[in-house]
Amino acid sequence: MTMQTLWRVPVAAHDDFDGWRDTARALIQAGVMPDQVRWSLPGNQAGDLFAAATPPAQPADAGADAAPVRASRAFVELANRAALHADPARFDLLYRLLWRLQAVPRLMDDRADSDVRKVDALARTVRRDIHKMRAFVRFREVAGDDGTPHYVAWFEPDHHILRANGGFFVRRFGTMRWSILTPQGALHWDGEALREGPPATRADARANILGGDPAEALWRTYYAAIFNPARLKIDAMVKEMPRRYWKNLPEAELIPDLIASAQAREAAMIALGAEDMGRPPASLDALDVAVDACRRCAIGCNGTRAVAGEGVATAPLMIVGEQPGDHEEQAGQPFVGPAGQVLRQHAQRAGLDLGAARLTNAVRHFKHLPRGKQRLHQNPTAREIDTCRWWLDAERLLVRPRLVLALGASAARGILGRTVSVQQERSRWLPLEDGAQLLITTHPSYLLRLGPEAGVAEEARFADDLAMVARALTGA
């Protein structure tokens, strides 16, 4: 049995997509199958022990009239990015996919194909790394050799994206003289030409940045000033700004203290906005009249009428939703639309008598976006919820419920005055300052948006939460 030749094919640089593409075309025209090729990266030239010497750029058996190599635009775009990934097998994967494209030209349309999915995943990871570099490179000013300002930055990319990002930084900072140092190499811009340099270390970067950039103090002051505690979502912030980048960001030194003080700052903001609201109304009727006349936020000025709370004036249970919807605004009653019907059905199954409860909302006017004859629901902002919180507090003071059920994050914020993760804080009783107990659950409208599988599980949790309220009311 004749053993087929196994070619060892070097790639000139880790990000040399163009060189790989030219060689790959020649190999495909020569009929070299994917399992006959081992792509060798810089620093790993030894390759496979059984691989033959590098083939010529154009194998001898590829005639001048060889068929052109097919490569769809979708493949070229994905491969261009995927080639920058740190996966050592990326070029083998790309060659295998390019080989298969010759027989199946529309292969890239098959999103279930394992090779297509792998290349797409590599490309998406590289795009994220490119974005992170553009977002988290921070230049520090240093004195250049001629005394003019020079700016130096240190960054640690996960993939081979340095040269791919060079054009972006030249366009964005073309009037500056700068250097970006990384473990993969360096880029130097003198205002006219972009030069490459050898890999650097963090120590090299620190040695280039003596003292500190005087603009950093101003930047930290600005960052602290625009840090909005009312919009703080730590998980989302860390996802967008991973902690591994914090060591290179001057503003990151402030983040732990800003997070720690966020709740106190948020409460101060809310208190500041409520200082001129005057004394709370003396009755629920007076409250309804005052709310209807309120124009303290944009929702109150959008031409809709306020929807007052409804139910027993001394109810032991208050149920708080987000805001009235289209049906509620037209009827002038809370919880009469599709979400209200879901609530009433589950309440009946749980043994909750809504006729003996107080039904109300965190925001009293309907926030919407006009679309022809339709009015599309819009979520209220944190500021709008906080403005309307004064009215909700006034209603609670008059009704004095011993149990409060908050439906969704907006309702929970209206009661607690802070951002709430429903999934983290739901299904357990939380004590309130006035002695009442609060239970947080999802809003019924959330159940309406879910698919069949997820909807079954969430409806079961919602039913369990209402059952907890029913047991607490009866003392069971």
Side-chain angles (χ1 to χ4, degrees):
M1 180 170 49
T2 303
M3 181 178 296
Q4 62 183 9
T5 303
L6 181 62
W7 297 106
R8 184 175 66 249
V9 185
V11 179
H14 284 282
D15 58 355
D16 185 18
F17 173 74
D18 291 339
W20 170 86
R21 179 181 56 190
D22 292 342
T23 304
R25 283 174 174 168
L27 292 172
I28 285 179
Q29 287 181 325
V32 179
M33 300 176 64
D35 58 3
Q36 294 179 268
V37 180
R38 292 294 180 270
W39 296 91
S40 179
L41 297 169
N44 187 30
Q45 299 298 337
D48 194 303
L49 291 175
F50 300 100
T54 303
Q58 179 74 24
D61 50 348
D65 59 347
V69 176
R70 294 191 184 100
S72 65
R73 178 179 296 180
F75 170 78
V76 174
E77 290 177 353
L78 279 180
N80 219 323
R81 283 286 178 255
L84 306 182
H85 200 279
D87 186 343
R90 62 191 180 279
F91 289 112
D92 296 289
L93 169 64
L94 293 177
Y95 186 71
R96 183 169 67 248
L97 193 53
L98 182 60
W99 174 273
R100 295 178 61 202
L101 278 169
Q102 309 317 298
V104 188
R106 298 185 65 85
L107 177 61
M108 298 304 296
D109 295 337
D110 184 2
R111 310 308 293 178
D113 184 86
S114 60
D115 285 344
V116 174
R117 286 165 48 206
K118 288 176 185 176
V119 170
D120 182 66
L122 295 183
R124 282 188 284 108
T125 301
V126 168
R127 280 195 293 269
R128 284 196 296 270
D129 205 31
I130 288 174
H131 167 71
K132 297 302 183 189
M133 181 173 178
R134 295 177 180 182
F136 300 134
V137 158
R138 292 291 187 271
F139 289 105
R140 267 83 168 186
E141 182 180 346
V142 299
D145 295 337
D146 57 358
T148 59
H150 191 88
Y151 297 86
V152 178
W154 168 256
F155 189 76
E156 301 171 49
D158 289 330
H159 304 285
H160 304 285
I161 62 170
L162 179 61
R163 288 194 291 190
N165 257 336
F168 168 84
F169 286 98
V170 168
R171 292 189 299 272
R172 177 63 62 87
F173 304 105
T175 59
M176 297 166 39
R177 295 194 309 160
W178 50 259
S179 297
I180 300 177
L181 310 180
T182 81
Q184 299 175 2
L187 294 178
H188 306 282
W189 173 252
D190 61 6
E192 297 180 357
L194 185 65
R195 296 180 295 105
E196 295 183 31
T201 65
R202 176 178 289 277
D204 296 328
R206 292 191 180 278
N208 277 278
I209 305 172
L210 301 175
D213 185 341
E216 283 191 8
L218 179 61
W219 167 244
R220 283 194 291 266
T221 300
Y222 170 73
Y223 183 82
I226 64 171
F227 188 91
N228 187 349
R231 291 184 176 271
L232 176 61
K233 294 184 178 180
I234 297 175
D235 291 343
M237 182 186 72
V238 172
K239 182 178 180 181
E240 182 59 29
M241 184 193 291
R243 295 181 189 274
R244 63 182 294 265
Y245 297 110
W246 289 17
K247 57 182 177 293
N248 299 325
L249 307 177
E251 67 271 24
E253 299 174 3
L254 306 175
I255 292 176
D257 288 340
L258 289 172
I259 291 175
S261 63
Q263 190 168 341
R265 293 177 63 198
E266 184 178 4
M269 289 169 60
I270 295 170
L272 183 63
E275 282 180 355
D276 60 350
M277 296 289 280
R279 298 185 63 180
S283 68
L284 291 173
D285 288 340
L287 174 69
D288 295 344
V289 172
V291 170
D292 193 53
C294 180
R295 299 295 182 268
R296 295 181 180 275
C297 74
I299 308 180
C301 303
N302 68 4
T304 60
R305 61 174 170 175
V307 176
E310 182 179 78
V312 180
T314 57
L317 170 65
M318 176 179 281
I319 300 178
V320 182
E322 177 192 67
Q323 66 171 345
D326 184 68
H327 292 82
E328 286 80 5
E329 196 272 337
Q330 293 182 42
Q333 294 178 274
F335 296 104
V336 295
Q341 296 306 315
V342 172
L343 171 65
R344 294 175 189 279
Q345 291 169 6
H346 279 276
Q348 184 176 17
R349 293 170 191 161
L352 277 178
D353 180 11
L354 296 190
R358 179 77 182 179
L359 306 180
T360 191
N361 282 295
V363 174
R364 306 306 172 96
H365 287 83
F366 174 37
K367 183 176 183 180
H368 65 279
L369 187 66
R371 280 289 183 269
K373 294 183 179 181
Q374 291 186 314
R375 300 189 298 179
L376 303 182
H377 170 276
Q378 281 191 307
N379 293 329
T381 66
R383 184 177 183 85
E384 289 161 347
I385 297 170
D386 294 343
T387 299
C388 215
R389 185 187 179 213
W390 193 86
W391 299 114
L392 181 59
D393 285 347
E395 185 174 11
R396 283 179 51 212
L397 184 63
L398 291 167
V399 177
R400 295 188 180 279
R402 62 184 179 87
L403 301 178
V404 180
L405 176 64
L407 305 176
S410 295
R413 183 184 181 90
I415 298 165
L416 297 173
R418 61 177 174 84
T419 302
V420 172
S421 171
V422 173
Q423 298 304 328
Q424 290 181 7
E425 302 195 46
R426 70 180 298 180
S427 307
R428 59 190 177 93
W429 290 108
L430 304 173
L432 299 176
E433 292 182 357
D434 60 0
Q437 296 288 313
L438 169 68
L439 186 77
I440 300 172
T441 189
T442 54
H443 196 281
S445 62
Y446 173 66
L447 303 178
L448 294 172
R449 296 193 299 268
L450 294 175
E453 293 185 8
V456 170
E458 282 299 322
E459 285 206 27
R461 294 189 69 187
F462 186 69
D464 289 343
D465 289 340
L466 294 191
M468 284 183 64
V469 176
R471 289 194 298 271
L473 279 174
T474 60

